[in-house]
Amino acid sequence: MAQQVKRAFKYRFYPTDEQARELLRTFGCVRLVYNRALEERTRAWHDEQRHISCAQSSAALTQWKKTEELSYLAEVSCVPLQQALRHLHSAFGNFFAKRAKYPRHKSRKKSRASAEYTRSAFTWHEGKLTLAKTAQPLDIRWSRPLPERTEPSTVTVSRDAAGRWFVSLLCEDTIEPALATPATIGLDAGIISLVTLSTGEKVTNPRYERRDRVRLVRAQRELSRKKKGSANRAKARRKVARVHARIADRRRAFLHKLSTRLVRENQTVVIEDLTVRNLLKNGRLARAISDAAWTDLRMMLEYKCAWYGRELVVVDRWFPSSKLCGTCNTVREKLPLHVREWTCDCGTVHDRDLSAARNILAAGLAASACGDGVRPQRESSRTGQSSMKQEPQRATAGISRLQVGEEVKRWPSRSRCAVVVRGG
């Protein structure tokens, strides 16, 4: 059955000089309002033990505009400023719910420059978008069509570090579920092979950052030689940003193609619950792990499975997928990192990655049959343990909960090691 979803469509556009000046002023005002409201909330709590609501912040914004110091806030559209206060309120809500850290100030150089416009602050007419305080519609490159008979409810304009302008249109879209298929797949993530599938296929990691490393190093070296605060340093910084943008764009396109293929071809997709944040603590492999972008792949699989009526099963991070023999159901206590193939006591020869992918699939299917619908926690609740598995393609040797001083131990139940996230 088709479902209605809120979907963002992102396009690149080329502003005129007037539009660019107006948007840059808006970005600066949004950043100032956000930071000032954050300071007021922090001060009120530390000095007076008092909470400031979003309505009180909005009233304070009105007073700021009346002062001589901040009178320029009235020169830009008020909607992005109000949206900045709402975003700050949401950030505090996530903090108090322990879903995020304490909100931080927006930096002029490091934070993403963006402004959000609601329906009252832009005009949509015959496929042309005109923002408040601007006279001409935006020159948008329509790389893909918007859903028919729909208008955007929210528009977000942004500018990245490379100087590229983007506009994101939030629209109602109808998603048709994919045709049902009996196929299932298990994924084992790695670095040499980005993912190893339970079918035996190994998807090579394209390593886009490594491909452009020479170009990136050269650009960064030129940046380090420029005088701080000079125009040449700003040009060199944009050059470095363009290299990073090229790497990120190619990586994102590859992950979209891979995730879409896996979701279309399989009814059930089983993955591991990797804690990438902990894996990045490995200094030798942190750069390669970041380039692999496992978190982005999981995020894409999650929302695409939900869109197209597929089932995503997440296997517990402590499940010993690499050290488990799928034939006799025994677990080796030790499996050195350099061992890519190993032989079980029962005589079965295992390819490390392929065996892990098949064990992940078996554990996921067992959990799916149990009907467990609880999403796993990404944060590790165990103290004194690392979520790094014994995978040379991922991290250094970790501590498995199965280590009990014996060489091998039988794995009692695979269904206890996975949870199901059903889509559709």
Side-chain angles (χ1 to χ4, degrees):
M1 182 179 179
Q3 59 175 325
Q4 295 288 331
V5 298
K6 287 282 189 178
R7 189 173 182 179
F9 294 82
K10 189 175 182 180
Y11 304 93
R12 189 172 180 180
F13 75 97
Y14 297 85
T16 62
D17 293 340
E18 179 186 356
Q19 290 173 342
R21 287 192 296 269
E22 179 62 31
L23 290 174
L24 289 176
R25 280 198 300 268
T26 304
F27 294 161
C29 292
V30 166
R31 183 173 57 251
L32 183 144
V33 168
Y34 185 94
N35 291 340
R36 196 177 183 92
L38 175 58
E39 292 174 359
E40 289 295 328
R41 286 199 174 206
T42 304
R43 182 198 58 78
W45 174 251
H46 284 291
D47 297 347
E48 308 171 17
Q49 297 293 305
R50 177 173 59 90
H51 287 287
I52 297 181
S53 65
C54 187
Q56 291 172 330
S57 296
S58 180
L61 174 60
T62 304
Q63 297 301 321
W64 297 343
K65 292 180 181 180
K66 296 179 181 179
T67 63
E68 182 179 357
E69 179 187 2
L70 301 177
S71 58
Y72 58 87
L73 293 177
E75 299 176 2
V76 301
S77 175
C78 64
V79 173
L81 307 184
Q82 295 289 345
Q83 291 298 103
L85 297 178
R86 294 188 179 95
H87 293 165
L88 177 62
H89 184 71
S90 299
F92 272 103
N94 292 331
F95 168 71
F96 290 125
K98 298 183 179 181
R99 293 190 296 265
K101 295 183 179 180
Y102 193 82
R104 297 181 297 178
H105 282 73
K106 290 185 178 293
S107 170
R108 182 175 180 272
K109 294 182 179 180
K110 298 182 180 180
S111 298
R112 175 172 173 261
S114 64
E116 185 176 277
Y117 296 78
T118 57
R119 195 65 184 87
S120 61
F122 67 87
T123 302
W124 177 263
H125 180 66
E126 296 182 353
K128 295 184 178 181
L129 177 66
T130 305
L131 300 177
K133 301 292 184 177
T134 59
Q136 300 177 3
L138 299 182
D139 183 15
I140 302 176
R141 298 296 185 265
W142 300 102
S143 55
R144 54 175 174 167
L146 287 175
E148 296 182 358
R149 297 184 299 276
T150 184
E151 293 186 2
S153 59
T154 303
V155 171
T156 303
V157 182
S158 60
R159 184 174 183 263
D160 65 4
R164 302 180 301 176
W165 295 85
F166 295 96
V167 57
S168 180
L169 310 177
L170 186 64
C171 304
E172 286 278 354
D173 194 13
T174 302
I175 302 295
E176 296 289 343
L179 297 177
T181 174
T184 58
I185 199 75
L187 278 66
D188 179 66
I191 291 178
I192 297 178
S193 297
L194 181 62
V195 289
T196 301
L197 308 182
S198 56
T199 57
E201 178 186 356
K202 293 187 176 182
V203 180
T204 304
N205 185 1
R207 297 190 178 189
Y208 292 113
E209 188 273 339
R210 188 173 182 178
R211 290 184 184 182
D212 285 352
R213 187 168 297 176
V214 174
R215 181 183 302 180
L216 180 61
V217 169
R218 185 181 297 115
Q220 291 174 333
R221 186 180 296 118
E222 293 177 359
L223 173 63
S224 66
R225 294 171 178 168
K226 305 301 180 183
K227 183 179 179 180
K228 293 185 178 180
S230 65
N232 286 334
R233 186 177 180 86
K235 294 179 183 178
R237 184 184 295 111
R238 284 194 295 269
K239 187 175 180 180
V240 173
R242 284 196 293 269
V243 179
H244 280 295
R246 167 185 163 89
I247 295 171
D249 291 345
R250 297 168 70 193
R251 181 193 296 126
R252 190 182 306 109
F254 176 82
L255 294 179
H256 271 298
K257 294 176 183 178
L258 175 62
S259 59
T260 300
R261 176 171 72 89
L262 294 175
V263 171
R264 286 180 176 176
E265 295 177 355
N266 302 277
Q267 186 67 31
T268 302
V269 181
V270 188
I271 61 176
E272 288 182 287
D273 183 27
L274 296 177
T275 310
V276 179
R277 182 181 302 176
N278 291 347
L279 298 179
L280 290 176
K281 296 178 182 178
N282 184 341
R284 297 180 58 185
L285 295 176
R287 194 167 189 173
I289 292 172
S290 299
D291 194 18
W294 299 326
T295 302
D296 293 343
L297 178 60
R298 171 172 174 169
M299 177 188 66
M300 294 176 185
L301 290 173
E302 284 180 349
Y303 76 77
K304 290 179 182 181
C305 285
W307 279 0
Y308 299 108
R310 301 310 196 193
E311 186 177 57
L312 179 66
V313 184
V314 183
V315 175
D316 183 74
R317 69 189 61 157
W318 306 106
F319 177 62
S321 58
S322 299
K323 299 186 290 184
L324 175 65
C325 176
T327 303
C328 63
N329 204 32
T330 59
V331 180
R332 294 179 63 91
E333 182 183 5
K334 295 182 180 180
L335 193 61
L337 298 177
H338 65 275
V339 177
R340 304 315 303 164
E341 290 187 359
W342 59 281
T343 303
C344 182
D345 294 339
C346 65
T348 306
V349 180
H350 297 284
D351 177 275
R352 186 180 190 128
D353 298 330
L354 179 58
S355 175
R358 290 174 176 172
N359 289 331
I360 290 170
L361 175 62
L365 294 180
S368 180
C370 295
D372 192 347
V374 181
R375 185 182 296 269
Q377 297 294 328
R378 292 178 183 263
E379 298 290 336
S380 176
S381 59
R382 299 168 181 262
T383 57
Q385 288 185 329
S386 170
S387 62
M388 301 181 185
K389 293 182 56 181
Q390 277 197 336
E391 291 291 335
Q393 299 180 4
R394 279 180 282 190
T396 57
I399 303 175
S400 170
R401 64 176 178 179
L402 297 177
Q403 292 180 352
V404 291
E406 301 176 359
E407 181 178 358
V408 295
K409 179 175 172 31
R410 293 198 174 274
W411 184 249
S413 174
R414 293 176 178 174
S415 62
R416 301 178 185 175
C417 303
V419 296
V420 184
V421 181
R422 288 188 170 87

